[in-house]
Amino acid sequence: MNLLYIQDMPADAMAIAQAAKESADLAQFTVNNLWILIAAALVFIMHLGFSALEAGFVRRKNVVNILFKNAMIISIGLLTYALIGFNLMYPGINEGGFFGFGGFGLNPSPEDMTAAYADYTYWSDFIFQAMFAATGATIVSGAVAERIKLNSFLVFATLFVAISYPITGMWKWGAGWLDAMGFYDFAGSTIVHSVGGWAALAGIILLGPRKGKYTEKGIRPITGSSMPLAAIGVFLLWFGWFGFNGGSVLNADPELVSLVFTTTSLAAAAGAVGAFFCNYFMTKTHDLSMVLNGILGGLVGITASADSVSITSAIIIGVIAGIIIPISVTAFDKAKLDDPVGATSVHLVCGIWGTLAVAIFGNFDEGIGQFSDQLIGILSIGAFTFAFSFLVFWVIKVTMGLRVNSEEEEKGLDIMEHQMRAYS
Amino acid sequence: MNLLYIQDMPADAMAIAQAAKESADLAQFTVNNLWILIAAALVFIMHLGFSALEAGFVRRKNVVNILFKNAMIISIGLLTYALIGFNLMYPGINEGGFFGFGGFGLNPSPEDMTAAYADYTYWSDFIFQAMFAATGATIVSGAVAERIKLNSFLVFATLFVAISYPITGMWKWGAGWLDAMGFYDFAGSTIVHSVGGWAALAGIILLGPRKGKYTEKGIRPITGSSMPLAAIGVFLLWFGWFGFNGGSVLNADPELVSLVFTTTSLAAAAGAVGAFFCNYFMTKTHDLSMVLNGILGGLVGITASADSVSITSAIIIGVIAGIIIPISVTAFDKAKLDDPVGATSVHLVCGIWGTLAVAIFGNFDEGIGQFSDQLIGILSIGAFTFAFSFLVFWVIKVTMGLRVNSEEEEKGLDIMEHQMRAYS
Amino acid sequence: MNLLYIQDMPADAMAIAQAAKESADLAQFTVNNLWILIAAALVFIMHLGFSALEAGFVRRKNVVNILFKNAMIISIGLLTYALIGFNLMYPGINEGGFFGFGGFGLNPSPEDMTAAYADYTYWSDFIFQAMFAATGATIVSGAVAERIKLNSFLVFATLFVAISYPITGMWKWGAGWLDAMGFYDFAGSTIVHSVGGWAALAGIILLGPRKGKYTEKGIRPITGSSMPLAAIGVFLLWFGWFGFNGGSVLNADPELVSLVFTTTSLAAAAGAVGAFFCNYFMTKTHDLSMVLNGILGGLVGITASADSVSITSAIIIGVIAGIIIPISVTAFDKAKLDDPVGATSVHLVCGIWGTLAVAIFGNFDEGIGQFSDQLIGILSIGAFTFAFSFLVFWVIKVTMGLRVNSEEEEKGLDIMEHQMRAYS
Amino acid sequence: MKKIEAIIRESKFEDVKESLEGIGVNFFTFVEVYGHGRQKGDAVTYRGAVYDSGDIPRILIEIIVRDERLDEVVDTILETGRTNTIGDGKIIVTNVEKFIRIRTGESDEDAL
Amino acid sequence: MKKIEAIIRESKFEDVKESLEGIGVNFFTFVEVYGHGRQKGDAVTYRGAVYDSGDIPRILIEIIVRDERLDEVVDTILETGRTNTIGDGKIIVTNVEKFIRIRTGESDEDAL
Amino acid sequence: MKKIEAIIRESKFEDVKESLEGIGVNFFTFVEVYGHGRQKGDAVTYRGAVYDSGDIPRILIEIIVRDERLDEVVDTILETGRTNTIGDGKIIVTNVEKFIRIRTGESDEDAL
Ligand SMILES: Nc1ncnc2c1ncn2[C@@H]1O[C@H](COP(=O)(O)OP(=O)(O)O)[C@@H](O)[C@H]1O
Ligand SMILES: Nc1ncnc2c1ncn2[C@@H]1O[C@H](COP(=O)(O)OP(=O)(O)O)[C@@H](O)[C@H]1O
Ligand SMILES: Nc1ncnc2c1ncn2[C@@H]1O[C@H](COP(=O)(O)OP(=O)(O)O)[C@@H](O)[C@H]1O
């Protein structure tokens, strides 16, 4: 491609003009494609964010286990997505349908490497989408932490990333029925985050709470092993979100990408402030873990509408998401649904909120019609994902077993499942 | 925008040529804008850098507190900058003046999303500048750590980011009087770093040192809780600095941006080496915390001239900054000015050095004239910032109180202000 | 450059066409150059990755020392590379030769800042290559950790980065004899990683194992201080590898860069899975440190061929690299070659594997011919590097001494060499 | 007065604590120790090598009681500290010559 | 000889240490322990739930002294370890049958 | 029965442990403590200031033995714990009135 401008310019204007146009288009294609790749790298770093956050929120005796799970999830996720996930989510057939499969593996044609495919190449498309795919399972890993069997979890995660996530993803992003209907979810408040949250909920219900969390004396807080790790995780997630939302523009359009950067950051900031005040109002304390969750809540909340709301709306969406966090965390605890990292509050509840916010703040004329579209999307995807996850977890429970035994839980999964300690 | 090259090419050369020109210009605009956005994300990660560095340099009992402060600062900073900061710093009026205000909130016009605005969109401009804004307050948080009241600090930080930083920033970057005069500060050795340093100094003076730091037996070192955290912080700051300095080119100009990357990295490296030898010469030890500060000193030092000095000059600027660190840290301790993270030495002293270095090494013909311009900039901005910060801190001290009580300091801010522990 | 499109368009088609062509070419140059710079920043962050990984794998009493070494290596590396390394590696003379030197320092001409130089500027070229250079020494630091004298190591690292790495690098990337011969090593499985591994091996042999590692009772595991640090390190290395391999395309070619991102990620993922199963098969455990090494093994393995193999081949290369890890780690231990972080297994062994894989999976028609080319490259570079390193280490050993004394090793290098503790 | 040192399982600490409070003994000092005995430790596997330090984390509770209450306290610990599997730990009783409350200077019985 | 175990406040450790050195007792062994007693611990709030472990970090200083010096040392600790608020801690004195310096094998008084 | 408290060097722990097992004493409890005595600590230098806390990390081994074995065990520790340089540590012997195995309730000799 770079030969073009090294060779001598053709003499005639028309030829030069055409060559110029081609060069210009190629440059545009190159920058669009580059942005998708950089965004993919940023989404990748979110997996470190999740790993650090979860490692910081679990007890010292379960840190190796959570890190191990996260290292395997991203790996298994990428491989299964290459094998079947990508072609399940983007079958290229069954437009407006419920299911489609484009075949195993990845087989791009030469044109798929040009602007004829999209503003990016087939490979860019795959790697960007693949980085998203593993996210769902990572969300689950935090919620079921400190008590789930390693292998049981890995089996679930594999099936979840390989089958469940791509199918519901196809409904919208794969040009499926929800897309046809008018459901809108820019970067995946529902398609990625709620989906992870629903699976987490199913797991939590079937697993039951950690030993000693809910006593007759009330809720006994099980404090996380490392707040610095948790903070590192949240900052890295925010950082990665620039790629998660910014890349979802699917090209480097200056106006859209810069708008998305702005709405995303302001919603995250507003989430922190919302959680700060709501938590203080509820407990008269300054709980770092709540503020960190508040930031994530704001990010999840804005994800569905980052490209289509005003700055003010973004801030309102974020503040409300932040306010939701302490309320939701407390509510789940009241219901004795034990979630060590607050994944259900952050990804499920704020994911739903963000998806509904599209209809409230998004510049869609349909109004109430849009609202019902959003609701249908939330419910249909939620129902499928929860049912799928519950079933898989249940089958695992009755076959290989889901929860470690009481002694293993006491001593910790690190020493019992890995014969290692996180710190020496 | 991408429609352009999908539609059939117009038949006539002139039309094609014009279309080509437009496409080419759009591509150029897109890549310039993309770089500013990526730079903004890199500057964002500096906030994680600061958080980790400060958490590593304070004692275990104050780690949650410092993380909490940093999470809130970036959040409050972004919001206040959107509300008033941006329009205070870039009022678009009062060229050559001391103060201007463009009104509340952000209200871009459609043209502000095109090359008509700049090499980037209005949103890119805002988010890049907003990420800078919170930096100043973060610098302060480290210096006043381990003894300042949480709420008192948050109030100060808010006022500082919302009012003080934008006003002095306007003087130069907002086309104010210093800019008209010829003061040069490429990416903010003075406008960002010294400003943070002056505020830190005011806080330190009014707070007094941590209990037990200065005893009749001499200086009792209060060792940081985690050197790995500190090192992570410094590496991330260096990483983010590629965006801080590189983005300050304000477009993706190949020559300038690549020069800035090179001068910035070599100055940081030279800073490490300078601190290594100077510290060894002074104490016969290999103090990691000094080398880490040396890297930061080199980065702060080159920030004012990264785009306008030779490689050799960059290395000299960095080495001197590195040498300054151990000397300055010791000097502040001699003066019983207790700065747990060395923020005053890194950001204030090296910031001043870097700003003066512009006149010494920068390719400005004015020579001595430039030197006085630089001096005026340093002094005027320093005077305003120190006065503002001292006043605000003082008012807070006599109203809500500035320092935690002795028992709280003993037990640590984590348990007393947050009822949490950093590690469990 | 941006003036072009602000000024009024010239009236005549030919002029416009030419202007358009120039703008288009400039835009293309700008995006290519920007990618190299971003890639350089990503490679930089690999140094934090190495620091964290090594700090996590050594004992608490040696953490400051390893961080100190890494902070100095990147700094010294950048400076020496500017002084002589760059011009040793890219002498611009002696094509097809064994040695060349372009002179001290960096002296680009104005043309070196334009497309006339390459798809990137001279400065971009330097900073990208400079970030690579320090990597080799960082690999060594992990392998010789916990027992080598600080100053002795720094002397070695300086000579290694300044002389050894650039010379062998020149053989291939500097258009030397291996390049002429047809040896292929895309991003440096051999030129960077094996080179580091060979030096590590020389160091390990001359140093001997850590006290208490190999007892008559068998191998006594010396567990790392922090698995979270190690995991952070590996995720950051993976992240940085997008720049390491992606940037090695040397422009932003959409097809190639996106292919490299995909092959690199899938090989890393496959490495994790390979190590997971191989380690489980060998020890019936789930050792996080092995899976982390497996990811790195996959990354090192794909580095030589990331741009020239199919997805399937990439996965196979990664799986095999992952399988190699536990076998190799055990083998080195059997041979009583003590490598605290597994650098020799990851960088040396997997580096060799990756370089050979080029001939097996790469789309080179030569076939067996290619294989011998690869072998010659591996052996010649290995021989030179090992000899150089062994000699330098040996001279240091007989002059300033290589290993700390028994008491220092007992008490740890942090307190004995730095008078500091990593955690307080 | 007597000093009771009870070396118990980490996992039993909460139970023992409660049972002691049950009989009004809500004052004691404890420290995390390592035990070496019949019970073997958990093997650690790291990078291919297996190793059993043989050290088991335990809690050592130190309680000063007046002679009359000795048996009661000992029995309580025996009951709740027991799992009947190897490694339940030991109780060591020694004589205390003087016991003083720093705050008031009161000694012996009054210091309790 | 006697063994003095002083369970004191973390915040008082430096003072006690100095005062001991003041009377020439510059040798002792100490360990970080947790105390349970009248004084309540600091409540921990985490994710909406409040919890008071009731455990307070303390320092246990162990000093072996010759009988004659017992009272002097005890009094010194009583003085400097005191804040007169609940939770100042305790001093426990027990009898030592044998005290040996490992380096030389010297025992009792000579081992000091 | 007797209680032996041996305050030894961290670096000597493994050796002492082995030598004890050598004479069949494969049961004891130990804890990491800090020592203060003739031997000075390692100076810490941080940001230009030097400081010697004077505290040296040590291991305190607690062993309950039947009276007959006392000397044997003490001598073993004396031998293997020794480096003949200042700071080897101390051995403290006190009397045990009661020693009970929690698992079975057996006491004294039987509890060993
Ligand atoms: N002679 C001893 N001296 C001091 N502590 C001992 C002694 N014997 C056992 N212990 C402590 O009691 C713990 C349990 O003893 P062990 O022999 O493992 O089980 P059990 O007491 O049920 O027979 C050991 O881990 C150690 O901490
Ligand atoms: N009977 C006891 N046995 C052992 N330690 C005790 C006993 N009573 C108190 N302590 C220790 O002394 C500390 C202070 O006791 P506490 O009752 O809180 O205050 P005070 O001694 O001032 O009444 C406790 O935290 C505990 O560590
Ligand atoms: N009187 C004492 N009471 C309690 N512990 C002591 C006493 N004297 C020494 N120790 C412990 O023994 C250790 C070694 O004593 P030290 O005087 O340094 O060397 P040495 O025993 O060889 O003369 C000290 O660090 C301390 O832990």
Side-chain angles (χ1 to χ4, degrees), chain C residues 119-201:
Chain C
D119 289 340
Y120 41 84
T121 69
Y122 178 93
W123 294 129
S124 302
D125 191 10
F126 166 74
I127 198 68
F128 182 66
Q129 294 301 334
M131 292 299 174
F132 269 60
T135 315
T138 312
I139 291 168
V140 184
S141 80
V144 298
E146 305 204 83
R147 55 205 194 281
I148 196 167
K149 279 187 176 171
L150 178 64
N151 290 328
S152 305
F153 176 79
L154 290 180
V155 169
F156 171 82
T158 307
L159 295 171
F160 184 70
V161 178
I163 299 167
S164 181
Y165 169 84
I167 288 176
T168 47
M170 176 270 184
W171 293 356
K172 166 64 187 162
W173 292 344
W177 70 280
L178 282 175
D179 191 48
M181 185 192 74
F183 172 66
Y184 193 76
D185 185 1
F186 171 58
S189 285
T190 285
I191 296 162
V192 178
H193 295 281
S194 288
V195 156
W198 286 114
L201 185 61

Side-chain angles (χ1 to χ4, degrees), chain C residues 9 27 32 52 72 112 140 146 184 214 230 293-294 307 316 332 353 364 372 386:
Chain C
M9 294 252 184
N32 285 335
M72 290 311 297
D112 293 344
V140 184
E146 305 204 83
Y184 193 76
Y214 305 114
N293 276 171
D307 67 330
I316 296 169
F332 276 107
W353 156 240
F364 297 91
S372 69
F386 185 80

Side-chain angles (χ1 to χ4, degrees), chain A residues 204-228:
Chain A
I204 290 173
I205 292 171
L206 280 165
L207 272 169
R210 288 166 293 171
K211 280 180 72 173
K213 172 77 183 281
Y214 304 113
T215 69
E216 56 286 345
K217 288 200 208 112
I219 299 165
R220 196 170 165 306
I222 300 179
T223 54
S225 57
S226 169
M227 290 305 119

